[in-house]
Amino acid sequence: MAMACKSWLLRVIGWPLLLTLLASPFLLLQMGANGLVYRWYAPLWLLAALVGGQLLSIALQRLHVALSDTKLWRGNRLRRLSPMAKGWGQRLGGMALILLLLALPFLPGVGRYPIDLATSVLIYVLLGLGLTIVVGWAGLLDLGYVAFYALGAYGYALANQLWGLSFWWGLPFSALIAAVAALLVGLPVLRLRGDYLAIVTLGFAEMVRLVLINWQSVTGGPAGLGGIARPSLFGISFSNSPNAGQIAFHEWLGVEFSTLQRIVFLYLIILLLVGMVYGALRRLRRLPLGLAWEAVREDEVAAVSLGLNVTRLRLAAYMVGASLAGIAGCFFAARQGFISPESFTFNESVLVLAVVVLGGLGSQAGVVLAAMLLVLLPELLRDLADYRLLLFGAAIVWVMVKRPGGLIRQPRPDLLAAAQGRVGEEAS
Amino acid sequence: MLRMDNISVHYGAIAAVEQANLTLAAGQIVAVIGANGAGKSSLLMSLFNQPRPVEGTVWFEGVNLTRLPTHRIGRLGIACVPEGRRIFPRMSVLENLQMGAIHQPKTHWQQDLEQVTSLFPVLASRLGQMAGTLSGGEQQMVAIARALVARPRLLVLDEPSLGLAPIIVQQIFAALRQVNRQGISLLLVEQNAHLALQLADQAYVMQTGRMVMQGSADSLRQNPHVQQFYLGMA
Ligand SMILES: Nc1ncnc2c1ncn2[C@@H]1O[C@H](COP(=O)(O)OP(=O)(O)OP(=O)(O)O)[C@@H](O)[C@H]1O
Ligand SMILES: [Mg+2]
């Protein structure tokens, strides 16, 4: 009884509270007419909305359990969870979240800083989703994931400078470059043993970084590359002085020029990218390829004797993961307009790996939460200057002690729903 | 159907199997019995080139398996229930079965799923459960079912009775007999010689890497040496 009560409280109060805390930097500060305004009440609104939403979803779930046919699961401890009902609540919650994220830049009082910060978070979500395929699903330890991020960024920057490749073509181009690099690195290594990958990837990332620094004539060396083309929307540019053949957004709309327009546009792009990748991975996970990756991670010998080509599966995971990093890199380059090797150090690999591990090794929702935590926390702690990293580390340790399985512990949140969905189909 | 000629398996300097021969005709149940460390598992896994035998050839329906990579062998019509089950613990029972059927056409799935759940009815109510949380007996059933949905013509089992209560073992062996009646040949490695010799048509006895005896299961049951050392009779 006590247990049930506790999990109930966690659901209705705990999670909304955590989300509110994470979101509060977005909400607390507002750009007013005369400078920054502090809005202490804003998070309370969000909290109220989330608690209300949770209560509603629980009510719906109860209703559904009461109405649905539980014959299939009678006497089974799964029955109480009624995955279908959970699917309902989740779907509603997911939809609300998507709407909220889409509307975020247009909410009154949300200024440049929160949108910029959210964009950073989303880049790490994208990176985390890519790495979660490699580490969480396929069980390969990649310590040099940043290499593909760098290749994507430099790939787009150079192709843009040399051939005038636009951002939208840059996305698939960067993905392709990263995937080819993953193929070349992975092919000789993955044929041997998965374990060697960790060392080789570490070396590969360092190699890429050193090449970027030393190949001055092409990469600009430590000074980096600048003047990278920003994304445009069907020929509409978000700069003050668009190139020939392009229209400026503010002129097109007949409003005052502001760099905020571009920032919002970038935010929407990365939101779209992350949303698409998130949805695709959710689906992929239940397809034979996603399941086969897991099978290889769970038991290589059993998998191979069932006829799964372990080497090829691992290579595929490695390449898909890399191509997502390439896409993230392309976006990063287009957002900054300037890149240098400094952005692609080992620290970055560690940060993304931390996102994956903290998120619960393989949980997609966990990646989102962990990316928020790991990107926002250092921002929140900015005032503490020297103690920032110390506190940051302490926070990570604390989370891992409290939730050793990661923020979203269950490796397969969709497991029950998926199983019952299919059993249901077969029974009918 | 299956012929192992002169197979030797080495792990570095350790010779686990030495020049073993074995034949299995289509539709038969062949058992290999032997003490711990006799090399039974090594012999079985050498079918799948895990590890590849250092000498000898394995013929399966006219194909030389020793030249093939492991994952190709799994698609030829041989399925394996490995020692210690080796199910995928953090995947659901249903997903374990799906992995077994991954190279089968989708049209088979419905029928095959029904077939294995009628063979092991307890699995029907466990499809959504994580396989690692099943009891040992249920896990063994998942391992067998996972192999069966691959529609093998030869099913290879390594100690399916390991660590299970007698009643469950009886159930599993009854299921194996039923499987064989459907025309699937069985190659069975067992410590439990009683059960193995009851089920099998032909049997082999392995001792320190060598085949020391072979014959019909009945004749081996009558053999005084087998009775003394493997059936535990005085
Ligand atoms: N991976 C390995 N590396 C080194 N030696 C091994 C390996 N696997 C098996 N052996 C050795 O090979 C010999 C035969 O082992 P095997 O597992 O084939 O025996 P078994 O007959 O299956 O025994 P059990 O009935 O206990 O399962 C043993 O001496 C064992 O130590
Ligand atoms: Mg053995």
Side-chain angles (χ1 to χ4, degrees):
Chain A
M1 186 59 213
M3 273 300 288
C5 178
K6 210 172 145 192
S7 77
W8 205 80
L9 271 180
L10 186 75
R11 215 175 137 190
V12 178
I13 313 279
W15 284 112
L17 209 58
L18 180 66
L19 281 173
T20 308
L21 278 178
L22 285 172
S24 40
F26 292 132
L27 302 170
L28 275 174
L29 295 174
Q30 175 190 4
M31 206 51 145
N34 25 7
L36 235 45
V37 184
Y38 187 72
R39 296 182 304 168
W40 58 270
Y41 52 85
L44 294 181
W45 280 115
L46 180 65
L47 184 64
L50 287 172
V51 170
Q54 287 291 56
L55 284 172
L56 186 69
S57 107
I58 288 179
L60 274 175
Q61 184 174 340
R62 289 277 152 89
L63 190 70
H64 188 90
V65 172
L67 294 179
S68 68
D69 176 14
T70 51
K71 199 162 49 188
L72 188 60
W73 302 94
R74 186 160 295 154
N76 187 318
R77 59 199 182 81
L78 295 181
R79 187 180 128 197
R80 228 174 54 83
L81 288 170
S82 186
M84 272 302 284
K86 203 169 170 187
W88 257 77
Q90 270 177 356
R91 210 164 295 171
L92 269 176
M95 233 129 67
L97 188 69
I98 290 170
L99 282 178
L100 184 75
L101 285 173
L102 275 175
L104 176 73
F106 308 109
L107 291 180
V110 174
R112 172 184 319 251
Y113 176 65
I115 300 174
D116 232 8
L117 206 53
T119 307
S120 298
V121 170
L122 285 170
I123 292 181
Y124 283 97
V125 171
L126 188 55
L127 288 169
L129 287 175
L131 192 61
T132 219
I133 297 176
V134 181
V135 181
W137 296 7
L140 302 167
L141 186 54
D142 185 345
L143 293 178
Y145 192 59
V146 74
F148 303 115
Y149 187 39
L151 284 174
Y154 273 87
Y156 166 58
L158 287 173
N160 175 250
Q161 289 192 344
L162 295 176
W163 311 312
L165 197 75
S166 77
F167 169 74
W168 296 105
W169 285 108
L171 287 175
F173 178 74
S174 291
L176 188 72
I177 293 218
V180 169
L183 179 71
L184 295 179
V185 178
L187 199 58
V189 185
L190 291 172
R191 291 173 79 87
L192 301 169
R193 280 283 304 278
D195 315 11
Y196 293 121
L197 195 69
I199 300 160
V200 173
T201 51
L202 190 64
F204 176 64
E206 203 53 19
M207 233 169 68
V208 166
R209 202 174 65 84
L210 289 176
V211 168
L212 293 180
I213 291 177
N214 290 305
W215 199 8
Q216 299 231 358
S217 58
V218 174
T219 64
L225 291 171
I228 303 165
R230 313 290 195 153
S232 62
L233 181 69
F234 302 117
I236 299 171
S237 157
F238 286 83
S239 90
N240 204 358
S241 49
N243 298 337
Q246 285 191 327
I247 320 163
F249 177 76
H250 62 284
E251 284 169 5
W252 182 68
L253 211 63
V255 291
E256 195 83 353
F257 172 77
S258 151
T259 49
L260 187 62
Q261 291 154 4
R262 188 180 71 216
I263 289 172
V264 170
F265 182 53
L266 283 166
Y267 168 78
L268 290 176
I269 291 177
I270 188 78
L271 187 62
L272 184 78
L273 284 174
V274 168
M276 275 171 19
V277 168
Y278 194 95
L281 293 192
R282 250 182 91 89
R283 192 149 288 226
L284 179 60
R285 181 161 226 196
R286 296 182 199 169
L287 291 179
L289 180 63
L291 290 175
W293 278 336
E294 279 197 88
V296 168
R297 178 198 70 197
E298 294 286 277
D299 195 320
E300 191 182 333
V301 174
V304 75
S305 70
L306 291 175
L308 299 176
N309 188 338
V310 171
T311 309
R312 199 184 301 171
L313 282 168
R314 285 194 169 138
L315 205 54
Y318 195 50
M319 287 171 68
V320 172
S323 63
L324 291 182
I327 289 174
C330 174
F331 177 82
F332 178 76
R335 175 201 188 198
Q336 305 297 101
F338 162 80
I339 48 173
S340 76
E342 252 171 70
S343 308
F344 307 105
T345 57
F346 178 59
N347 280 346
E348 211 71 1
S349 291
V350 173
L351 185 57
V352 181
L353 196 60
V355 165
V356 172
V357 174
L358 200 62
L361 268 181
S363 156
Q364 286 176 243
V367 163
V368 178
L369 266 181
M372 283 173 83
L373 198 70
L374 291 187
V375 177
L376 294 184
L377 210 56
E379 288 297 322
L380 289 177
L381 298 174
R382 187 146 281 205
D383 290 341
L384 299 169
D386 289 348
Y387 297 103
R388 195 167 84 146
L389 277 179
L390 189 68
L391 278 176
F392 181 61
I396 291 184
V397 170
W398 184 77
V399 170
M400 289 319 279
V401 168
K402 284 288 166 199
R403 296 188 76 83
L407 289 173
I408 308 264
R409 192 182 330 220
Q410 201 176 1
R412 302 291 316 274
D414 54 348
L415 185 78
L416 301 174
Q420 196 185 25
R422 273 171 297 190
V423 175
E425 277 162 33
E426 276 138 21
S428 58
Chain B
M1 181 178 217
L2 178 75
R3 203 173 87 221
M4 304 181 87
D5 280 339
N6 215 23
I7 292 292
S8 298
V9 178
H10 293 183
Y11 299 101
I14 303 169
V17 178
E18 287 180 90
Q19 290 160 358
N21 294 300
L22 184 148
T23 50
L24 180 148
Q28 267 190 335
I29 304 181
V30 171
V32 178
I33 58 176
N36 287 112
K40 307 179 297 293
S41 301
S42 305
L43 180 76
L44 256 195
M45 287 320 284
S46 78
L47 272 180
F48 287 90
N49 288 330
Q50 291 262 350
R52 200 179 292 272
V54 289
E55 64 172 330
T57 39
V58 180
W59 296 97
F60 176 70
E61 296 181 334
V63 182
N64 183 353
L65 299 187
T66 43
R67 301 233 182 94
L68 294 176
T70 303
H71 63 89
R72 293 275 302 283
I73 297 172
R75 299 176 198 176
L76 287 178
I78 308 183
C80 161
V81 180
E83 186 169 26
R85 300 155 197 147
R86 306 197 85 137
I87 51 158
F88 306 119
R90 281 180 295 176
M91 296 168 75
S92 73
V93 170
L94 192 75
E95 286 167 340
N96 267 270
L97 299 183
Q98 283 175 326
M99 286 296 99
I102 196 161
H103 293 297
Q104 293 297 309
K106 275 215 168 69
T107 46
H108 288 175
W109 172 242
Q110 197 77 29
Q111 189 192 344
D112 290 354
L113 186 67
E114 270 163 32
Q115 195 147 23
V116 292
T117 47
S118 67
L119 193 64
F120 301 117
V122 58
L123 294 187
S125 60
R126 296 279 191 277
L127 288 177
Q129 195 171 332
M130 291 241 205
T133 64
L134 295 173
S135 78
E138 289 160 353
Q139 290 189 16
Q140 188 67 62
M141 292 174 195
V142 171
I144 295 173
R146 184 180 67 182
L148 284 176
V149 291
R151 294 212 167 183
R153 294 182 295 285
L154 172 63
L155 180 64
V156 174
L157 303 112
D158 196 342
E159 301 204 29
S161 72
L162 193 72
L164 304 184
I167 174 100
I168 303 292
V169 175
Q170 289 296 342
Q171 260 179 45
I172 284 178
F173 272 68
L176 290 179
R177 196 179 293 278
Q178 202 178 325
V179 165
N180 179 247
R181 271 198 222 109
Q182 290 159 10
I184 298 174
S185 316
L186 303 182
L187 176 57
L188 172 72
V189 155
E190 260 301 337
Q191 292 247 5
N192 189 332
H194 268 295
L195 280 166
L197 292 180
Q198 261 170 38
L199 183 72
D201 306 309
Q202 293 286 316
Y204 291 79
V205 179
M206 259 189 118
Q207 201 177 311
T208 57
R210 294 182 182 277
M211 291 293 189
V212 292
M213 253 182 271
Q214 72 174 83
S216 72
D218 289 329
S219 73
L220 284 184
R221 251 195 312 210
Q222 307 305 326
N223 182 301
H225 179 82
V226 173
Q227 285 187 345
Q228 185 183 351
F229 290 102
Y230 297 101
L231 297 174
M233 300 180 188

